[in-house]
Amino acid sequence: MPKATVNGVEVEFEPGMTVLQVAELAGEEIPRFCYHERLSIAGNCRMCLVEVKPGPPKPQASCALPAAEGNEIITNSPMVKKAREGVMEFLLINHPLDCPICDQGGECDLQDQAMGYGRDDSRYADNKRAVEEKYMGPLIKTVMTRCIQCTRCVRFITEVAGVPDIGLISRGEDVEITTYLDKSVASELSANVIDLCPVGALTSKPYAFNARPWELKKTESVDVMDALGSSIRVDSRGPAVLRVLPRLNEDINEEWISDKTRYAVDGLSRQRLDQPFLRKGGRLQPTTWAEAFELIASKVKATTPERIGVIAGDVQDAESMKAALDLFGAMGVKNLDCRQDGMALGAGPRESWLLNSTIAGIEEADVILLVGTNPRVEAPVFNARLRKRWLAGALRVGVIGEQADLTYGYDYLGAGPQTLSGLSRSKNDFVTALKGAKNPAIIVGAGALARADGAAVLAAAAAAAKSFGLTWNVLHSAAARVGGLDLGFVPGEGGKSAGEMVQKGALDVLFLLGADEIDAKGSDAFTVYLGTHGDAGAHLADVILPGAAYTEKDGIYVNTEGRVQFGYRAVFPKGQAKEDWSILRALSEGLGAKLPYDTLAQLRAKLFADHPSFGQVDYVAGPAGAASLDFGLLGAKGELSEAPFASLVKAFHLTNPIARASVTMAECAAVASGAAKIAAE
């Protein structure tokens, strides 16, 4: 390996590394604004100047300069110090002195670097330039006079998000960053530019002037808005969650999160259920816990286990599903289902419902077949990963299903099951690539499996996977789905599925654990809703039991690749609301089937004992775990419908009760659908 010296210290480095990277290997901090390790190199802020020998007798931009054998790199010479001070002074010529009112106060790169590497005064006496604010949609607030044209936002939106809505216009001193025709940024990842902006030119519009960072309690947790389980930090003050930010996790979300993950949190304080309710005379009336439990117990005892059903929602934690499973299983109830959409999964081995390539491992694939999924709206951060792999080259993507803009090129093969079943007999260019691939993968979505012919489609997809030697992957969109399937929260022998439970006359008592996505209007059963928001499930309920949202409880979630993750409480539940498992524990006494645990620790101990996969925290088996998967066990033979595959996510911003209660998400949905005014006036 080549060697270089950094301030007299010898360091080995990988060929192809830049001078900046080599300096950081040696432990030297190099200031920068435009450089970001996940974006292409721009080299336009010049803050990272260093002295390099042999070379010209002047400072050079270290971010764009490849390091060479025998380089002598000096980062602290008088020449470098003077150059950095000059660059900083130049960058601050037009920057307004508005630190006290800037929303990046306390989290500003410019502030830190001006203190560390800038002058203590300014020699600039002329008027500063003012720049018009730009409209970038409901999420991004612009103060463009602060902008130093580092172009991080332009590069992110173009390279990572794949939606080139932000760009640079004009030249010289007149250069400005703006959006195309002043329209909203149309990416599901747009708000990541706020984290990337080093100077407060792009800040958070919903969060503007709400709090300073030092006022906030910071809680590390996991996201439940989709099935990726992105690592997040929940910032709260008092009883309110004010914002969600991404945490670095190379295996899952890198350092990005979707706009829904970031901004649906205002829905946590709206339309909340904060006390028990009973339906009297056709209207919901407040009641006590004891009265609610008494009524539920009387209804349950008046019927048989065959006439009782439980449906778990998409954002439930594993503990609440385990408590429900233990309670109703002890009573002999077989009608249990965590698949609101009716996905034809849950009967085979665990690998049959996992993303076995893993989220990070998908970057190793050279040919990918997407079946009945639109990852851009079902898992935007995962879609950015696919785009990253596509940009790296040598990736072919084939799509069977919707012909949507995925932000990368693909071969459109067909719309429905007929294309899938006839794939092995096809003679097109993509099939040839599939046959010759070294590491091919199939990704099957709910749009293919949540249909009347879902089992037959599953069998056809498994046959294609076996025929071409594809790694088997299922992309879920519900955070609770894999955890529910791992628990066996599916109908027992002779039990009814979720779709069958909500039919008229099917049941006498129906429990909805946060289940709002299923249409239960046809059911005439006595309905108990345990959840957080006054959403679809609560509208139908005869009894409402207020539960805790994901930011208000400690909970275990299993992501789409089978990774067990812990979410942590940031704030306490609203009003009289309680953690879901504790409500079921209290209810169990009235039902005569007392649960054998009194604390969360005891519940988790039983969970780990009964289902050992939950004890393997932050572990994924990956492709090796699926090597022995018997594709013949997946699905069932049956007639395939001619109906095309369609993603179940119709409105990205409105997929769960929290998001539907959010004002910010409502604005985003209106803009996305074209119902709102798109251009600023």
Side-chain angles (χ1 to χ4, degrees):
M1 284 199 344
K3 295 179 181 177
T5 59
V6 181
N7 297 339
V9 177
E10 191 173 79
V11 60
E12 283 189 337
F13 62 92
E14 298 278 346
M17 291 181 82
T18 63
V19 169
L20 184 148
Q21 291 169 320
V22 172
E24 294 203 328
L25 275 181
E28 295 292 337
E29 184 187 37
I30 305 287
R32 86 289 302 262
F33 289 114
C34 70
Y35 176 79
H36 192 278
E37 54 272 17
R38 297 189 199 277
L39 306 175
S40 62
I41 295 170
N44 55 7
C45 77
R46 320 308 286 181
M47 195 64 212
C48 63
L49 293 172
V50 297
E51 203 175 338
V52 181
K53 296 177 182 176
K58 63 176 186 179
Q60 298 184 74
S62 59
C63 69
L65 184 66
E69 171 72 50
N71 273 165
E72 185 185 347
I73 303 164
I74 305 162
T75 69
N76 53 9
S77 67
M79 183 199 291
V80 171
K81 183 175 183 295
K82 187 179 178 184
R84 287 174 179 172
E85 287 178 354
V87 168
M88 179 65 73
E89 191 177 13
F90 176 71
L91 290 177
L92 292 177
I93 279 177
N94 288 310
H95 194 287
L97 300 175
D98 61 348
C99 291
I101 62 161
C102 178
D103 243 12
Q104 279 208 355
E107 298 175 323
C108 180
D109 287 345
L110 183 65
Q111 245 175 8
D112 295 343
Q113 295 194 42
M115 290 294 290
Y117 305 100
R119 292 171 57 93
D120 62 351
D121 65 335
S122 175
R123 295 170 291 181
Y124 190 76
D126 298 334
N127 290 329
K128 293 183 181 261
R129 181 187 75 150
V131 183
E132 269 186 16
E133 309 311 353
K134 306 295 188 294
Y135 175 77
M136 293 193 180
L139 304 178
I140 305 167
K141 179 179 185 324
T142 63
V143 190
M144 299 313 289
T145 303
R146 298 173 187 157
C147 179
I148 61 168
Q149 287 85 42
C150 71
T151 67
R152 279 187 181 185
C153 54
V154 178
R155 285 174 284 147
F156 171 83
I157 228 69
T158 306
E159 296 164 11
V160 179
V163 182
D165 283 346
I166 303 178
L168 206 71
I169 59 169
S170 300
R171 299 184 71 180
E173 196 188 4
D174 297 323
V175 74
E176 293 182 22
I177 292 215
T178 184
T179 54
Y180 182 68
L181 295 179
D182 274 348
K183 77 182 187 77
S184 176
V185 182
S187 169
E188 294 78 16
L189 300 167
S190 65
N192 288 292
V193 299
I194 296 164
D195 296 335
L196 287 172
C197 182
V199 295
L202 305 177
T203 55
S204 173
K205 195 178 279 186
Y207 176 71
F209 309 122
N210 274 357
R212 291 297 196 196
W214 53 85
E215 300 171 345
L216 304 174
K217 184 181 91 174
K218 302 166 180 68
T219 309
E220 294 187 351
S221 192
V222 293
D223 174 44
V224 300
M225 295 294 145
D226 56 32
L228 284 195
S230 299
S231 295
I232 59 170
R233 191 185 88 195
V234 180
D235 286 1
S236 57
R237 184 177 61 188
V241 174
L242 294 185
R243 65 176 182 178
V244 162
L245 296 176
R247 285 189 293 124
L248 186 67
N249 189 330
E250 295 292 352
D251 293 331
I252 302 174
N253 59 307
E254 298 180 294
E255 58 188 85
W256 320 124
I257 52 173
S258 75
D259 292 348
K260 183 165 52 178
T261 299
R262 191 184 294 266
Y263 285 119
V265 290
D266 65 325
L268 292 166
S269 58
R270 293 181 168 89
Q271 300 179 23
R272 287 298 301 270
L273 303 171
D274 59 357
Q275 60 183 358
F277 287 88
L278 289 182
R279 193 174 292 278
K280 297 176 182 175
R283 293 176 65 88
L284 287 165
Q285 307 285 343
T287 187
T288 62
W289 284 100
E291 191 179 359
F293 286 165
E294 192 178 330
L295 179 61
I296 295 168
S298 68
K299 293 290 183 181
V300 169
K301 288 171 181 175
T303 187
T304 59
E306 293 77 26
R307 302 282 295 171
I308 300 171
V310 187
I311 303 174
D314 289 353
V315 293
Q316 291 300 113
D317 55 292
E319 292 92 340
S320 65
M321 290 189 284
K322 174 61 176 169
L325 197 64
D326 288 351
L327 171 58
F328 292 101
M331 294 165 59
V333 174
K334 303 286 187 189
N335 309 317
L336 303 158
D337 208 345
C338 65
R339 306 163 302 180
Q340 292 185 87
D341 52 18
M343 277 184 99
L345 285 170
R350 185 173 188 248
E351 291 75 28
S352 67
W353 55 76
L354 298 183
L355 190 89
N356 293 295
S357 293
T358 72
I359 295 167
I362 204 71
E363 293 185 38
E364 304 299 319
D366 51 358
V367 180
I368 297 173
L369 177 63
L370 301 178
V371 180
T373 181
N374 179 348
R376 180 171 172 184
V377 293
E378 292 169 20
V381 176
F382 180 68
N383 196 61
R385 202 73 75 166
L386 293 177
R387 175 173 166 81
K388 178 183 174 185
R389 176 68 185 91
W390 177 76
L391 283 175
L395 175 69
R396 289 285 293 273
V397 180
V399 170
I400 302 176
E402 288 180 334
Q403 210 168 349
D405 177 10
L406 298 180
T407 72
Y408 43 84
Y410 58 82
D411 296 86
Y412 186 66
L413 306 176
Q418 310 305 328
T419 307
L420 179 62
S421 60
L423 196 64
S424 56
R425 300 185 300 275
S426 299
K427 291 191 168 49
N428 59 49
D429 188 40
F430 178 79
V431 171
T432 306
L434 206 56
K435 287 176 178 173
K438 292 180 180 172
N439 195 7
I442 184 172
I443 301 176
V444 186
L449 303 177
R451 303 160 37 116
D453 62 345
V457 171
L458 178 60
K466 186 178 181 179
S467 169
F468 294 105
L470 309 175
T471 304
W472 180 258
N473 297 293
V474 177
L475 182 62
H476 295 278
S477 54
R481 187 62 45 81
V482 174
L485 294 174
D486 285 353
L487 286 166
F489 205 101
V490 292
E493 193 175 341
K496 295 181 175 66
S497 68
E500 292 167 339
M501 286 188 232
V502 297
Q503 301 302 314
K504 190 171 182 178
L507 299 174
D508 292 335
V509 181
L510 175 62
F511 283 83
L512 299 176
L513 298 183
D516 295 276
E517 312 314 317
I518 191 165
D519 186 3
K521 292 187 181 71
S523 174
D524 56 355
F526 178 82
T527 303
V528 179
Y529 179 76
L530 195 167
T532 57
H533 285 74
D535 208 79
H539 294 172
L540 304 168
D542 297 292
V543 178
I544 291 175
L545 305 175
Y550 75 105
T551 55
E552 298 162 3
K553 60 187 174 186
D554 292 339
I556 294 173
Y557 302 90
V558 189
N559 77 348
T560 192
E561 58 181 355
R563 188 186 299 270
V564 176
Q565 299 171 289
F566 283 79
Y568 295 100
R569 172 191 283 163
V571 295
F572 286 92
K574 307 293 181 195
Q576 296 180 42
K578 303 181 189 300
E579 293 179 32
D580 304 36
W581 76 266
S582 65
I583 295 172
L584 292 166
R585 165 64 181 80
L587 179 61
S588 69
E589 292 197 45
L591 297 179
K594 184 179 174 183
L595 290 171
Y597 31 78
D598 299 319
T599 65
L600 185 63
Q602 291 171 352
L603 166 52
R604 284 179 172 173
K606 191 169 188 314
L607 173 66
F608 299 156
D610 295 351
H611 308 276
S613 66
F614 285 90
Q616 297 176 310
V617 179
D618 205 34
Y619 168 77
V620 285
S628 58
L629 178 62
D630 185 354
F631 289 111
L633 299 174
L634 304 190
K637 288 185 179 178
E639 193 173 335
L640 292 167
S641 160
E642 291 186 7
F645 297 138
S647 173
L648 297 190
V649 177
K650 302 303 179 193
F652 165 72
H653 302 94
L654 306 172
T655 54
N656 60 56
I658 300 169
R660 286 191 287 271
S662 163
V663 172
T664 308
M665 289 296 99
E667 287 179 33
C668 291
V671 170
S673 66
K677 196 178 282 186
I678 296 178
E681 291 184 349

